[in-house]
Each structure stands twice: as C-alpha cells, then as structure tokens.
C-alpha cells in the first residue's frame, strides 16, 4: 500500500491520527500476526515503535481497533502471540499509562490516541455506537431517531422540552404541544439552538459545525455567537452553522433522512463522497485512490452491511477492494 497515493476515509476517532504512521502500524500488526514472525521481526518492530511517540500512539490505536474484531487465538498463531506477549511484558508500564483516561478540567476526557470525548456524551440519556441506530419515543409523543455514533440528553419538564445533541446525527418528528403553558421544543448544540416550528428536521453535529435539513415545517436557529442574527429555515431547505456564520440556505439534499431506513441515497455523487459517508457506519479505515475517488455513483446502499456495499461497488465499478486487515480497506483502480 502506498500511503502517498491514497486518501483516508474513517470515523472521527481515526481522522486525528497521521494515516501514514497508522498504515505503518497496521503493516507491523499484520507481520506480527503471521506464524512466521520471529524475534528479528519483534526487534525491528520495537525499534520502529520506540522511535517516537507518534508510533506508540498509532500502535495503540491499531491494537484497539483490532481488538474490536478479533483477538489472536492463544495457539493458532504462536509466533505472533509470543511476540506480542513478550512486548507486553517488556513495555507493560508504558502501555498501561497510555491507556489511562485523564479527566481534564475542561470537561473532556482525553484518551491515549488523542481523541476528545465530552464527558456528557459518555453519560448521555441515549447514545449509539458506530453502525448502530435507535428510535426514541419522547414524553410528548415526538419521535426521535439517533444515527451512528451519536449522543443526546433529554430534558422534558413542566416548563421545557429540550434535547441536547452532544455529537452525531438525529432526526426528529415533533408532536403538537398540548400542555399549558406552552413549552417550545428546542435542540441545543455546541454551535447554537434550534427551535422546532411544527416540523420534522435533521441535525448533524460534527467537528466543523452543525448541518440542518428541514423536511417539514420550519426551524428557528439561534446561534451561540451573539454577533450572528437568528434565522428561520423552511421546509425543503438546508444550511450549516459554525461559530462564525450561518451559510445561505440551499435546496435540501435528497439523501438527508434516508439514514433512518439504514440507507445512503447516492444521487450522482462521487465515490469518494459515498465512501466518506459509508465510513461513518463501520469501525476502521477505508483508503481510496484519488484515481477512482471521482467516479460518479448513483444508487441506494444499505448501511447495515458495509462489507456487502463494498463488494457491490467492486462488482459494478472499475475498482478493486483489498482487505489488508479486517478493519483496513483499500480501494484502488483495477
């Protein structure tokens, strides 16, 4: 795999890492899994890992991701098992310290791989893991859907109907308020709050802002930045808000909202865009060669089985799918 010729697509936990270094770590992991692995391989791997902190962090990430798929059987791969066990004993304290979670005064938990996760997300009322979705019936009759890797808190009282979107994506179909006094339904995010005006809408909060798509009714945006004016977005429109601006509204993307049926609706988008969206639903990394990333794609793809989607793409497009490791996929030209 040539790291210089491929573009990375992965979930948010891996995007913060240097993919060239991460690829080296994955290659070393594959070598050490082999029954032919020997002490020379272990020594070379240790030299590579101890060269710098980035290598140690990348190796830690490889172990974490690989552990989500399978652990090395005790007897089936004796070479790899012996090497990894020896390395674990020799560097036990270092690896233990890397795994320690530090609760910072900023209210964030920083893991050894450089990922920041708000402590509110960890203890949220509802949260989904990568690839999972959830439908929630709220006390007022509203319906809320959570997409992959998302977290919300629900605060419904006699005086408020508030949803706090910590991260990820949600779609809500609001119910008519019958209680008096009237309680507006508001979704709070890191970039502002969104008040439902009799509506069905989609919110996706990511590292660079919040995407709003209004499917029915209207939504009032109140940015967290006091210098930005409030704005109302109507049905059939979408926009994005960050800390500095609210983008001009545009026609809604046909794909928004299809995710509650576990579908990605690709309406003449690039293969790179499709893979970027598909990556949200799987743990690991997909790297795509720029030579094929601009191929146009049309279709509806099921996010419940991302491997099946990749196989279907390989069967209909001039591309090759290579599974270097269970969690590492490369897409290249045939």
């Amino acid at each position: 795999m040539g790291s210089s010729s491929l573009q990375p697509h992965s979930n948010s936990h891996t995007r913060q890492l240097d993919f060239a270094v991460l690829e080296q770590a994955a290659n070393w992991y594959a070598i050490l899994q082999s029954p032919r692995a020997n002490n020379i391989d272990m020594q070379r791997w240790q030299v590579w890992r101890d060269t710098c902190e980035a290598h140690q962090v990348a190796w830690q990430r490889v172990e974490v991701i690989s552990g989500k798929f399978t652990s090395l059987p005790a007897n089936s791969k004796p070479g790899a098992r012996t090497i990894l066990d020896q390395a674990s004993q020799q560097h036990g304290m270092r690896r233990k310290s890397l795994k320690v979670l530090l609760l910072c005064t900023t209210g964030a938990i920083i893991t050894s791989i450089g990922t920041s996760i708000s402590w509110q997300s960890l203890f949220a009322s509802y949260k989904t893991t990568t690839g999972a979705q959830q439908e929630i019936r709220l006390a007022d009759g509203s319906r809320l859907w959570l997409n992959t890797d998302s977290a919300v808190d629900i605060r419904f009282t006699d005086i408020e109907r508030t949803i706090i979107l910590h991260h990820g994506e949600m779609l809500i179909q609001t119910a008519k308020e019958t209680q008096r006094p009237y309680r507006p339904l508001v979704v709070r995010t890191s970039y502002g709050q969104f008040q439902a005006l009799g509506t069905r809408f989609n919110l996706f909060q990511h590292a660079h802002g919040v995407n709003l798509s209004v499917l029915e009714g209207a939504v009032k945006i109140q940015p967290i930045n006091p210098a930005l004016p409030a704005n109302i977005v109507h049905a059939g429109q979408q926009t994005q808000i960050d800390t500095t601006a609210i983008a001009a509204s545009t026609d809604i993307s046909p794909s928004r909202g299809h995710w509650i049926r576990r579908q990605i609706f690709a309406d003449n988008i690039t293969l790179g865009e499709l893979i970027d969206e598909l990556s949200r639903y799987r743990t690991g990394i997909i790297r795509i060669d720029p030579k094929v990333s601009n191929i146009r794609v049309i279709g509806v793809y099921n996010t419940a089985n991302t491997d099946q989607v990749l196989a279907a793409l390989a069967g209909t497009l001039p591309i090759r799918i290579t599974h270097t490791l269970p969690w590492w996929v490369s897409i290249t030209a045939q």
Side-chain angles (χ1 to χ4, degrees), residues 166-217:
H166 296 296
H167 72 268
E169 187 168 22
M170 56 163 278
L171 187 150
I172 186 165
Q173 173 73 58
T174 62
K176 184 177 181 180
E177 168 68 323
T178 58
Q179 185 169 309
R180 296 292 181 270
Y182 178 80
R183 302 169 300 166
L185 192 151
V186 173
V187 181
R188 286 166 43 191
T189 73
S190 299
Y191 299 88
Q193 68 177 29
F194 301 79
Q195 180 180 342
L197 304 177
T199 186
R200 174 184 173 95
F201 65 97
N202 191 94
L203 285 176
F204 176 30
Q205 179 167 225
H206 47 84
H208 306 293
V210 177
N211 295 346
L212 165 68
S213 300
V214 183
L215 305 173
E216 299 174 10

Side-chain angles (χ1 to χ4, degrees), residues 78 130 193 249 286 292 311:
T130 299
Q193 68 177 29
S249 297
I286 306 178
V292 298

Side-chain angles (χ1 to χ4, degrees), residues 5 28 50 91 109 115 135 137-138 149 167 172 181-182 193 208 212 217 228-229 268 290 299 305 325:
S5 63
W28 273 116
D50 296 340
H91 299 273
I109 290 181
T115 301
E135 180 180 353
R137 291 277 186 169
L138 302 181
D149 189 23
H167 72 268
I172 186 165
Y182 178 80
Q193 68 177 29
H208 306 293
L212 165 68
L228 298 178
N268 195 33
N305 190 331
L325 291 171

Side-chain angles (χ1 to χ4, degrees), residues 156-170:
F156 276 34
T157 68
D158 291 339
I159 59 174
E160 70 171 335
R161 291 186 297 165
T162 300
I163 300 169
I164 304 171
L165 176 61
H166 296 296
H167 72 268
E169 187 168 22
M170 56 163 278

Side-chain angles (χ1 to χ4, degrees), residues 23-312:
E23 185 174 29
Q24 295 173 26
N27 287 334
W28 273 116
Y29 191 88
I31 291 171
L32 297 183
Q33 277 192 314
S34 170
R36 297 186 298 273
N38 53 43
N39 286 332
I40 294 177
D41 293 322
M42 182 184 74
Q43 292 169 7
R44 290 175 178 172
W45 162 68
Q46 288 176 337
V47 169
W48 171 85
R49 189 193 61 181
D50 296 340
T51 299
C52 64
E53 183 179 357
H55 289 184
Q56 297 167 17
V57 172
W59 179 255
Q60 173 70 11
R61 181 58 182 163
V62 164
E63 288 187 312
V64 170
I65 300 177
S66 297
K68 292 180 181 179
F69 287 86
T70 182
S71 58
L72 292 172
N75 299 318
S76 63
K77 295 185 181 293
R81 172 57 56 189
T82 300
I83 287 173
L84 293 178
D85 285 348
Q86 289 178 5
S88 179
Q89 294 171 8
Q90 294 176 16
H91 299 273
M93 291 304 295
R94 176 182 297 166
R95 292 177 61 195
K96 182 178 180 180
S97 65
L98 284 171
K99 292 180 180 178
V100 173
L101 297 177
L102 302 177
L103 181 59
C104 301
T105 57
T106 58
I109 290 181
I110 310 300
T111 71
S112 63
I113 59 174
T115 301
S116 296
I117 304 174
S118 68
W119 66 268
Q120 293 97 334
S121 294
L122 295 177
F123 301 101
S125 304
Y126 301 94
K127 51 184 177 291
T128 56
T129 57
T130 299
Q133 295 179 347
Q134 185 177 7
E135 180 180 353
I136 305 152
R137 291 277 186 169
L138 302 181
D140 67 343
S142 297
R143 299 173 68 188
L144 174 68
W145 291 265
L146 282 187
N147 202 358
T148 174
D149 189 23
S150 303
V152 297
D153 270 316
I154 310 295
R155 295 181 182 175
F156 276 34
T157 68
D158 291 339
I159 59 174
E160 70 171 335
R161 291 186 297 165
T162 300
I163 300 169
I164 304 171
L165 176 61
H166 296 296
H167 72 268
E169 187 168 22
M170 56 163 278
L171 187 150
I172 186 165
Q173 173 73 58
T174 62
K176 184 177 181 180
E177 168 68 323
T178 58
Q179 185 169 309
R180 296 292 181 270
Y182 178 80
R183 302 169 300 166
L185 192 151
V186 173
V187 181
R188 286 166 43 191
T189 73
S190 299
Y191 299 88
Q193 68 177 29
F194 301 79
Q195 180 180 342
L197 304 177
T199 186
R200 174 184 173 95
F201 65 97
N202 191 94
L203 285 176
F204 176 30
Q205 179 167 225
H206 47 84
H208 306 293
V210 177
N211 295 346
L212 165 68
S213 300
V214 183
L215 305 173
E216 299 174 10
V219 174
K220 181 180 179 181
I221 304 175
Q222 186 63 58
I224 196 169
N225 183 349
L228 298 178
N231 191 21
I232 294 180
V233 180
H234 297 276
Q237 298 290 298
Q238 62 184 9
T239 186
Q240 177 172 315
I241 176 176
D242 57 27
T243 56
T244 61
I246 301 177
S249 297
T250 59
D251 290 339
I252 198 169
S253 168
S255 64
R256 281 281 72 91
H258 278 258
W259 61 262
I260 66 171
R261 296 189 289 273
R262 289 195 166 277
Q263 295 177 341
I264 298 175
F265 185 81
D267 183 18
N268 195 33
I269 64 176
T270 67
L271 178 61
E273 291 171 328
L274 174 60
I275 295 302
D276 202 32
E277 184 69 14
L278 189 69
S279 296
R280 296 176 56 204
Y281 297 90
R282 58 184 290 133
T283 301
I285 300 164
I286 306 178
R287 292 172 70 85
I288 182 169
D289 191 322
K291 295 177 181 178
V292 298
S293 63
N294 289 324
I295 294 176
R296 309 305 294 188
V297 180
I298 297 175
V300 178
Y301 301 93
N302 192 330
T303 61
N305 190 331
T306 57
D307 283 328
Q308 190 176 68
V309 173
L310 291 173

